[in-house]
Amino acid sequence: MEETKITARGRATRQRIIEATGEQILAAGIGGTTLDTVRAATLTSKSQLFHYFPGGKSELVREVATWEGQQLLAAQEPFIHDLSTWDSWIQWRAALVEYYLGLGRWACPIGSLATQAALTDPDLEAFFNASMATWRDTLAEGVTKMQAGGHIDRTADPQRIAVVILAAIQGGLVLSQPMRSAWPLEAALDSALEPLHQAAA
Amino acid sequence: MEETKITARGRATRQRIIEATGEQILAAGIGGTTLDTVRAATLTSKSQLFHYFPGGKSELVREVATWEGQQLLAAQEPFIHDLSTWDSWIQWRAALVEYYLGLGRWACPIGSLATQAALTDPDLEAFFNASMATWRDTLAEGVTKMQAGGHIDRTADPQRIAVVILAAIQGGLVLSQPMRSAWPLEAALDSALEPLHQAAA
DNA sequence: ATCGTAGTGGACCACAGGGTCCAGACTGTG
DNA sequence: CACAGTCTGGACCCTGTGGTCCACTACGAT
């Protein structure tokens, strides 16, 4: 998509639409989010929705996904690109939980979006795969640093540990959502980080 | 709901509808499952759908949820009601993975259903909460047995361990789905069971 | 045999919701 | 100022889909 001319005003409107849609999806799911409710929430018109997202709802959802993905990654900075010490891991964990807390809803924007639409939208599935892969690789990188620093067992597979941590996050959120409490997420996450802690201490 | 008269033939049709709907939901999500596709797959008519599920689609989905819930629990028998030895845990784990494998799709019928519809259907959310609670309690019971048998640390909180295990299952499935492989699930699950193993060995 | 009830078929309805169109207002650049 | 292109409003269309209705059949009981 080579960018067609877009003014500051236009960009703001577009962004407003994306964020409002993201909130609605988080609160009511993709199915519970209609173009009409988005239109109402953003004080826009149908034509604007299609002006900025010619591909319609599916394109809008994909844009929301990339936006939320950026937010999620940004929230973990700068710690996620360090992770060379146990203390850095602690800070990363705190920042992540803080991010989810700020959403006001115990759900991963990316994860829940994926489980809802990946079945029917191949593009979205690919995006989800890519997101998870880079996230996983970044964590694995941190594990490798810990190994290099001699803090933990060097024979362990960083990729595997990273996957276990991600699974703990996603699964923890699944349980936190109905319980409306952070503790399942924190318990799962801490448990997954335990091996790193044990060895580092 | 006092049961109205229902013959064997009727019960069979009803069950056929439930199972077919379950498969479609697992494959295409709730949104991707319409009454028409269910009708086609089961060779029934609209009127039958509403004859057996007067509450319409939402009632049908709830019935599917309870059915899948029963299946999920049944698949873990008899091990899940033992769990007094490490060996029993091993067998339980194998049975569970086997169950998910048999679905042909790396997703938890209960979990994915919940993340899709719990937001809009309070009844379904309550059902999901109840399912998770009993599942969790049953696992916690097993942990308690391990503690009583002196296999593991008695100061650990069984409920917490149970939640961590459930989170590993749900999260592992989230990652297994796009990767189309059992290993994320198995890695997450084994990692969560590690504490039990360590002490039991 | 007949009668009542469960079971079935399929036409039909209503409406939500995604998507289209066009006219008009705003904006910034020559 | 003029004009080109962006931005916006809102009426409109149309398909998909949940849900209703009614007539007809199958079948068990008395």
Side-chain angles (χ1 to χ4, degrees):
Chain A
M1 294 285 160
E2 62 299 337
E3 63 277 13
T4 61
K5 284 286 184 57
I6 187 171
T7 69
R9 177 150 152 260
R11 190 164 289 280
T13 302
R14 187 187 142 97
Q15 187 60 25
R16 189 156 40 98
I17 294 172
I18 290 179
E19 294 185 21
T21 307
E23 287 170 25
Q24 289 194 15
I25 288 180
L26 204 63
I30 292 180
T33 301
T34 75
L35 295 187
D36 265 347
T37 59
V38 170
R39 189 185 50 66
T42 55
L43 298 175
T44 54
S45 59
K46 272 281 188 65
S47 62
Q48 292 177 69
L49 263 42
F50 283 86
H51 177 66
Y52 294 110
F53 310 96
K57 186 176 185 180
S58 57
E59 180 179 345
L60 174 54
V61 169
R62 280 193 291 274
E63 291 299 314
V64 168
T66 61
W67 163 251
E68 300 275 26
Q70 288 167 8
Q71 292 298 104
L72 176 55
L73 272 187
Q76 301 174 63
E77 298 294 357
F79 314 113
I80 197 174
H81 276 107
D82 179 4
L83 298 185
S84 61
T85 65
W86 173 242
D87 197 60
S88 176
W89 280 91
I90 292 281
Q91 290 183 292
W92 165 75
R93 173 216 180 276
L96 186 64
V97 173
E98 184 68 20
Y99 164 76
Y100 286 124
L101 187 65
L103 290 180
R105 184 105 210 170
W106 294 109
C108 182
I110 302 303
S112 73
L113 221 100
T115 55
Q116 283 179 54
L119 293 168
T120 51
D121 188 333
D123 285 343
L124 203 64
E125 186 183 5
F127 169 79
F128 175 68
N129 281 344
S131 295
M132 275 295 166
T134 62
W135 197 1
R136 188 189 61 212
D137 290 343
T138 312
L139 288 181
E141 186 110 1
V143 174
T144 304
K145 283 182 190 165
M146 291 292 276
Q147 288 177 325
H151 298 117
I152 62 170
D153 180 13
R154 297 188 184 216
T155 66
D157 178 4
Q159 285 286 335
R160 185 187 145 102
I161 294 177
V163 163
V164 168
I165 294 172
L166 284 183
I169 295 171
Q170 297 298 325
L173 285 170
V174 169
L175 296 190
S176 273
Q177 184 163 344
M179 294 195 202
R180 284 162 172 69
S181 155
W183 88 259
L185 170 62
E186 296 185 311
L189 188 45
D190 288 339
S191 176
L193 294 177
E194 189 68 12
L196 297 177
H197 179 216
Q198 290 279 344
Chain B
M1 299 274 166
E2 61 298 336
E3 63 278 14
T4 62
K5 284 285 184 59
I6 187 171
T7 69
R9 176 150 151 257
R11 189 165 289 281
T13 302
R14 187 187 142 96
Q15 186 59 25
R16 189 155 40 99
I17 294 172
I18 290 179
E19 294 185 19
T21 306
E23 287 170 27
Q24 291 194 14
I25 288 180
L26 204 62
I30 293 181
T33 301
T34 75
L35 295 188
D36 265 347
T37 59
V38 170
R39 190 186 49 66
T42 54
L43 299 175
T44 54
S45 60
K46 272 283 188 64
S47 62
Q48 290 178 70
L49 264 43
F50 284 86
H51 177 66
Y52 294 111
F53 310 96
K57 188 176 184 179
S58 57
E59 179 178 345
L60 174 55
V61 169
R62 279 193 292 273
E63 291 299 313
V64 168
T66 60
W67 163 251
E68 301 274 27
Q70 290 167 7
Q71 292 298 105
L72 176 55
L73 272 187
Q76 301 174 62
E77 298 292 357
F79 315 114
I80 198 175
H81 276 107
D82 180 3
L83 298 184
S84 61
T85 66
W86 174 243
D87 197 61
S88 176
W89 281 90
I90 292 281
Q91 289 183 293
W92 165 75
R93 173 213 180 277
L96 187 64
V97 173
E98 183 68 22
Y99 164 75
Y100 285 124
L101 188 65
L103 290 180
R105 184 106 210 169
W106 294 108
C108 182
I110 303 303
S112 73
L113 220 100
T115 55
Q116 284 179 52
L119 293 169
T120 51
D121 187 334
D123 285 344
L124 203 65
E125 186 184 5
F127 169 79
F128 175 66
N129 281 345
S131 294
M132 276 295 166
T134 61
W135 197 1
R136 188 190 60 212
D137 290 344
T138 311
L139 288 181
E141 185 110 0
V143 174
T144 305
K145 282 182 190 167
M146 291 291 277
Q147 288 178 324
H151 298 118
I152 62 171
D153 180 13
R154 297 187 186 219
T155 66
D157 178 4
Q159 285 286 335
R160 184 187 146 102
I161 295 178
V163 163
V164 168
I165 294 172
L166 284 183
I169 295 171
Q170 297 297 325
L173 285 169
V174 169
L175 296 190
S176 273
Q177 185 163 343
M179 294 193 201
R180 283 161 173 68
S181 155
W183 88 260
L185 169 62
E186 295 186 311
L189 188 45
D190 288 339
S191 176
L193 295 177
E194 189 68 13
L196 296 178
H197 180 214
Q198 290 280 345

